[in-house]
Amino acid sequence: MNTDKVEGKFDQVAGKVKQGVGETVGNQRLANAGVADQIKGAAKETWGNAKDTAGVVHEDNKAKAHAEGDNLRDRVANSTQNAKNSMNEKLDDIKREHRG
């Protein structure tokens, strides 16, 4: 859990307390400030969730890119080996033809 998510949860709880106190004592400004803190906290928590999601997606894409690179490298190496073998076979055929 990242700090944005923790701070967001804390701000939401503090905002609920502030709202409750404001409503209990009849202070509308304090109650409204509590609601504002809850909104700020929810936004901060959501931002933290977005950052976590971006990190997961980044790591997944990085792993996929490595796997694709490994696959491509293997295909190139195999194609090179096949081309070499094919060329050597043709050269051997030419040698046999000319030796009689």
Side-chain angles (χ1 to χ4, degrees):
M1 183 174 282
N2 64 43
T3 57
D4 288 317
K5 288 168 62 173
V6 172
E7 289 175 7
K9 287 181 184 295
F10 177 79
D11 288 346
Q12 290 174 73
V13 170
K16 283 184 189 244
V17 170
K18 191 185 285 187
Q19 177 187 359
V21 169
E23 289 172 350
T24 301
V25 299
N27 184 331
Q28 294 300 309
R29 180 177 283 181
L30 184 61
N32 291 343
V35 171
D37 287 347
Q38 290 174 61
I39 293 167
K40 178 179 91 172
K44 193 179 284 188
E45 181 183 1
T46 302
W47 174 245
N49 285 333
K51 289 187 341 185
D52 283 350
T53 300
V56 168
V57 169
H58 173 72
E59 288 302 316
D60 186 47
N61 286 342
K62 193 164 116 179
K64 285 179 184 177
H66 282 285
E68 288 174 10
D70 291 346
N71 185 315
L72 181 58
R73 187 173 37 257
D74 289 344
R75 287 180 23 215
V76 168
N78 287 336
S79 293
T80 301
Q81 186 65 39
N82 290 341
K84 179 190 88 168
N85 291 342
S86 178
M87 185 57 82
N88 283 336
E89 286 175 16
K90 291 187 187 307
L91 292 171
D92 288 343
D93 289 345
I94 292 171
K95 287 178 193 174
R96 275 191 291 277
E97 286 177 18
H98 286 280
R99 288 187 181 156

